[in-house]
Amino acid sequence: DGKPVDQSLLVKLTRSLRHRGPDDEGFLLADTRTGLTEHRRGSETIPEVRSREIDESFSGTSPNLGLGWRRLSIIDLSPSGHQPMSNADGTLWVIFNGEIYNYIELRVELKAKGYVFRTQSDTEVILHAYHAWGQDCLHHFNGMWGMAIWDVQKRQLFCARDRFGVKPFYYFWNGSSFAFASEIKALLELPWIPRRANDSAVYDFLVHRVLDHTEQTFFSDILQLRPGHCAFISERGLQVQRYYTLSYNPDLGHFNERDSIAHADQLRVLLNDAVRLRLRSDVTLGSCLSGGLDSSTIVSIANSLLFKQGLANRETIGERQKTFTATYDIEQYSEDRFVRQVIEQTNAQPYFVKPAAAELQNELSDFIRSNDEPSISTSMYAQWCVMRLAAQHGIKVLLDGQGADELLAGYRPQHFPVFHAELIRAGRIFEAIKEMRTGASVAGESFSGWLRAAAMKSVKSYVPKRLRHRFMTSAQLLNPAFAAKTVSHVTKEDRSIQRRLYEDETLYNLPQLLHYEDRNSMRFSVEARVPFVDYRVVEFVMNLPAVYKIHNGWSKYVLRQATNGLIPQAVQWRKDKMGFVTPEVEWMSELSPLIRKTFTETSLRSRQYVNPQFVKEQVSNRTISTGDIWRVFNLELWMREFNIQ
């Protein structure tokens, strides 16, 4: 609305994100009406940057646009990588969080168009790409990003988030003022943003175990720019557009061994290139390693590229690849034996951390504040510990295997019954029976149990989606008045496995996992990179028929074929699927005195959402899962941490 930017607030917002960029800071002040822009420095700006201080007076009338930025130096560590960065004539300014992995290739393409580069950074590539292609530049990028470009000539702020939301973008808009940041906690520094909980987000979190599936957040007045979306802010107001839509193949398909091998070969080529691009770094680099198929694949491909194909920069990698693993003394939760096999084959340098309930209790406040919103399970704390471990050993870039389960039907209890039920409805009865028998054998479970799961999924698919929440055991935790008035956004697909995988990739699974991936890593100033979320890999796998993802009782079948000879066979054909688990049952038992005490206090903030008496009973009785108890406990702690009204 033309009112001046409060420069002290701009500094405060930016400093609240110091953990995301401890290496440098920068500011831009602008008058959108006259086109006047002034680069400013702060007290934590590197000495090489010469500009006026942020708190000095503006040359023209009051600036009504302010941009603030923190740097985590990854590419081009020189002062020339400083932001906000402008093009040569100062008509475009950008602030940017993330990486454009194919910046080297784009630089060549843009140079051929006549563009001149002054830096070695990927940030400058964004500026020239935007100048060359406008908003279509987003289709040229392979990477992860939250960005804002001030276009002086168009008098327009262009904002964008990457295709799948690896990097975050939150905003507040009330019709006259627009504010945005990489994390919600920065926006909460603005005194006019109320700290009100979003009832709908709370409901979907407690009952359906999801968040980040809509533009809404847990804060009623703060939204997120959805993955694959961009926004334009000008005197005309705010306009949000989708620029990317993922397609998928709806067919079950018919398995053919020759085609399967060809698909596996293509997937391996794509994964190799996805990892190759994500090895580009001017700082120390390592990998997460859980011992599962996904992370073992990434570690093994990276090792081959680094040391067999000569991509290793010894100054940033060292003589051996460094891996980081969470492990536990309780054998049923530990993947040590698989991790050790990958370490032995790759000769990597392993580092281990043992998360514990006592540490979790001591660090609950920091952990919850790091994530801005409540967490789904204790697994996110284990990831938090792994990221801290990497930072303690000087790592600034960390590869991770996140994203394969959603693509390749990696969640057996959720995905297999949908697949089997769809085969039955398609009249492929004998194929369904064979898949259930082999699947039960692989999992070490009974055929009757698998048949029952498929039957239940078939029956559930005919229940109206608006009524399905009533069958969720977690609904018992809710305050009845809250449950009666709240409308859910969650309608998971149960009739098509391909549609279900699409939803997991774009709505219900991957977005929330990427949320935690970003917040947990950036809390310790570590940049996490996820090769399985390379858009070329995602598009290829999403367009494969379902029978190449689930075959002969195996999940991720085409990936298992693709890793033939790459990873240890014991990992390649692991029969157990642990996920990134923790000893949650044991941990919640240790935390039970604190939980009971919390839900006895008269100051309980979440009373409007939960039934505290039922929660206290469940801490002892355990007729519902420990995950359900964790979520209501986490909700209460979140409301206290952020002073939610």
Side-chain angles (χ1 to χ4, degrees):
D1 56 13
K3 292 180 180 178
V5 168
D6 185 329
Q7 294 170 44
S8 63
L9 270 179
L10 178 62
V11 173
K12 196 173 182 182
L13 265 68
T14 308
R15 294 278 168 82
S16 73
L17 299 181
R18 190 181 190 280
H19 53 283
R20 296 186 73 89
D23 302 326
D24 189 12
E25 72 176 354
F27 302 93
L28 182 76
L29 298 176
D31 185 333
T32 66
R33 297 149 296 196
T34 65
L36 179 63
T37 57
E38 293 186 0
H39 180 274
R40 297 298 179 90
R41 59 176 290 111
S43 61
E44 297 186 5
T45 301
I46 55 175
E48 294 86 348
V49 174
R50 305 294 182 185
S51 62
R52 298 171 65 193
E53 299 291 335
I54 179 62
D55 56 358
E56 293 183 27
S57 61
F58 193 64
S59 299
T61 57
S62 297
N64 64 327
L65 170 66
L67 301 178
W69 162 87
R70 298 291 314 198
R71 184 180 192 186
L72 180 63
S73 301
I74 303 292
I75 299 293
D76 186 0
L77 309 185
S78 74
S80 65
H82 175 83
Q83 297 177 38
M85 182 183 290
S86 72
N87 60 351
D89 62 6
T91 57
L92 298 174
W93 290 84
V94 65
I95 55 173
F96 158 62
N97 169 221
E99 300 290 346
I100 306 301
Y101 300 121
N102 63 333
Y103 74 101
I104 294 175
E105 291 79 6
L106 286 176
R107 179 191 296 269
V108 172
E109 186 176 351
L110 289 163
K111 278 185 175 180
K113 289 179 173 289
Y115 288 93
V116 177
F117 287 82
R118 299 170 292 167
T119 78
Q120 299 300 313
S121 70
D122 56 338
T123 307
E124 191 176 13
V125 169
I126 294 174
L127 283 169
H128 291 325
Y130 176 81
H131 187 272
W133 299 304
Q135 70 182 82
D136 287 341
C137 67
L138 302 173
H139 298 290
H140 293 258
F141 298 153
N142 186 337
M144 54 182 183
W145 62 84
M147 68 173 69
I149 297 174
W150 171 237
D151 190 324
V152 176
Q153 294 177 333
K154 290 184 178 180
R155 297 167 66 183
Q156 171 182 275
L157 189 69
F158 173 69
C159 303
R161 192 175 178 202
D162 62 76
R163 294 172 181 84
F164 301 108
V166 183
K167 284 297 173 184
F169 192 109
Y170 296 97
Y171 68 93
F172 166 83
W173 168 246
N174 64 0
S176 61
S177 295
F178 179 79
F180 70 95
S182 291
E183 294 184 11
I184 290 172
K185 63 177 64 68
L187 295 176
L188 295 178
E189 298 287 350
L190 296 172
W192 57 80
I193 297 183
R195 298 182 177 221
R196 289 194 297 253
N198 180 339
D199 289 357
S200 180
V202 170
Y203 183 91
D204 286 348
F205 170 75
L206 293 179
V207 175
H208 296 288
R209 306 172 181 86
V210 298
L211 73 161
D212 281 338
H213 53 299
T214 72
E215 66 175 2
Q216 297 184 32
T217 72
F218 274 74
F219 296 83
S220 60
D221 295 271
I222 296 175
L223 301 175
Q224 62 175 316
L225 193 60
R226 296 284 295 140
H229 283 67
C230 60
F232 305 88
I233 302 92
S234 68
E235 292 175 347
R236 295 181 297 277
L238 169 67
Q239 179 185 14
V240 177
Q241 291 182 4
R242 177 190 289 272
Y243 71 85
Y244 177 78
T245 301
L246 178 66
S247 65
Y248 70 96
N249 182 347
D251 296 336
L252 284 168
H254 293 273
F255 186 84
N256 178 281
E257 184 64 35
R258 180 181 297 176
D259 289 344
S260 186
I261 293 171
H263 295 326
D265 290 343
Q266 181 63 19
L267 177 58
R268 184 159 173 167
V269 168
L270 289 170
L271 276 174
N272 266 275
D273 200 56
V275 174
R276 178 186 67 84
L277 290 179
R278 283 158 183 78
L279 291 174
R280 289 176 170 172
S281 170
D282 294 331
V283 295
T284 50
L285 183 145
S287 299
C288 294
L289 178 59
S290 70
L293 175 64
D294 311 334
S295 65
S296 298
T297 298
I298 299 303
V299 168
S300 298
I301 290 176
N303 215 66
S304 176
L305 289 167
L306 290 169
F307 300 107
K308 293 182 181 179
Q309 300 181 38
L311 294 185
N313 179 340
R314 302 292 175 170
E315 293 182 5
T316 59
I317 303 297
E319 297 300 316
R320 301 162 66 189
Q321 182 183 182
K322 297 175 178 64
T323 62
F324 300 89
T325 302
T327 187
Y328 308 97
D329 292 327
I330 305 174
E331 186 175 349
Q332 71 186 90
Y333 302 111
S334 179
E335 298 183 86
D336 272 13
R337 65 189 186 279
F338 298 109
V339 170
R340 299 290 181 185
Q341 290 185 52
V342 177
I343 295 300
E344 183 178 347
Q345 180 168 305
T346 59
N347 192 36
Q349 175 64 56
Y351 296 92
F352 297 90
V353 63
K354 288 186 178 181
E359 293 176 351
L360 171 58
Q361 182 167 336
N362 290 335
E363 296 175 333
L364 274 170
S365 177
D366 190 1
F367 172 64
I368 290 170
R369 176 156 287 274
S370 296
N371 279 286
D372 282 336
E373 298 175 287
S375 63
I376 295 294
S377 75
T378 55
S379 295
M380 285 72 203
Y381 175 69
Q383 183 186 59
W384 199 73
C385 293
V386 169
M387 298 303 178
R388 177 171 55 191
L389 177 70
Q392 288 170 345
H393 289 278
I395 297 298
K396 294 188 77 172
V397 172
L398 201 60
L399 301 184
D400 199 357
Q402 197 77 266
D405 286 318
E406 291 73 24
L407 281 176
L408 291 151
Y411 300 114
R412 187 183 287 153
Q414 292 84 11
H415 293 150
F416 277 49
V418 177
F419 176 64
H420 299 150
E422 188 177 3
L423 284 173
I424 292 170
R425 283 196 303 275
R428 296 160 65 169
I429 308 298
F430 293 111
E431 188 176 347
I433 291 173
K434 176 189 174 186
E435 283 292 341
M436 283 186 276
R437 288 195 185 282
T438 54
S441 175
V442 168
E445 298 170 357
S446 69
F447 169 72
S448 60
W450 281 57
L451 182 61
R452 185 165 54 252
M456 290 295 292
K457 192 64 68 174
S458 291
V459 171
K460 182 184 174 185
S461 68
Y462 289 100
V463 176
K465 292 182 177 180
R466 68 182 184 278
L467 301 177
R468 292 182 191 176
H469 69 283
R470 297 184 181 179
F471 297 92
M472 310 272 300
T473 56
S474 52
Q476 302 172 64
L477 290 164
L478 303 185
N479 178 318
F482 169 64
K485 72 175 185 179
T486 309
V487 177
S488 173
H489 293 98
V490 179
T491 55
K492 291 186 178 180
E493 177 60 55
D494 287 315
R495 295 179 61 83
S496 165
I497 183 60
Q498 295 286 73
R499 177 68 189 182
R500 179 63 179 268
L501 295 178
Y502 171 82
E503 290 181 350
D504 283 349
E505 185 73 13
T506 59
L507 292 175
Y508 299 127
N509 273 55
L510 185 63
Q512 67 187 25
L513 294 176
L514 292 176
H515 171 123
Y516 301 124
E517 182 93 27
D518 173 82
R519 249 35 62 86
N520 287 333
S521 60
M522 294 300 273
R523 161 62 180 84
F524 301 104
S525 305
V526 172
E527 179 178 277
R529 298 178 173 181
V530 281
F532 278 107
V533 191
D534 185 302
Y535 76 96
R536 300 167 301 169
V537 174
V538 174
E539 290 175 353
F540 174 74
V541 176
M542 289 302 296
N543 281 283
L544 289 180
V547 293
Y548 297 106
K549 301 167 190 177
I550 300 175
H551 179 65
N552 276 347
W554 292 98
S555 65
K556 305 179 185 177
Y557 189 79
V558 68
L559 177 60
R560 295 180 195 274
Q561 282 190 307
T563 57
N564 193 38
L566 177 68
I567 65 176
Q569 279 196 343
V571 178
Q572 181 186 8
W573 298 103
R574 274 187 67 173
K575 292 186 175 183
D576 61 325
K577 164 64 178 174
M578 292 180 67
F580 198 65
V581 297
T582 63
E584 187 167 271
V585 173
E586 290 79 2
W587 285 7
M588 293 300 285
S589 179
E590 290 187 52
L591 290 172
S592 59
L594 174 61
I595 298 173
R596 272 193 292 267
K597 178 178 179 295
T598 299
F599 283 90
T600 303
E601 295 171 354
T602 56
S603 59
L604 190 71
R605 286 179 179 253
S606 58
R607 193 181 306 275
Q608 69 197 81
Y609 298 121
V610 304
N611 181 341
Q613 185 59 38
F614 185 75
V615 173
K616 286 184 291 182
E617 293 172 0
Q618 288 306 308
V619 172
S620 302
N621 298 341
R622 300 273 179 84
T623 60
I624 64 174
S625 74
T626 55
D628 291 335
I629 299 297
W630 165 261
R631 288 197 307 286
V632 295
F633 179 50
N634 217 240
L635 175 68
E636 173 64 26
L637 296 183
W638 168 75
M639 295 186 76
R640 296 183 182 191
E641 183 67 32
F642 288 96
N643 191 26
I644 304 300
Q645 303 304 315

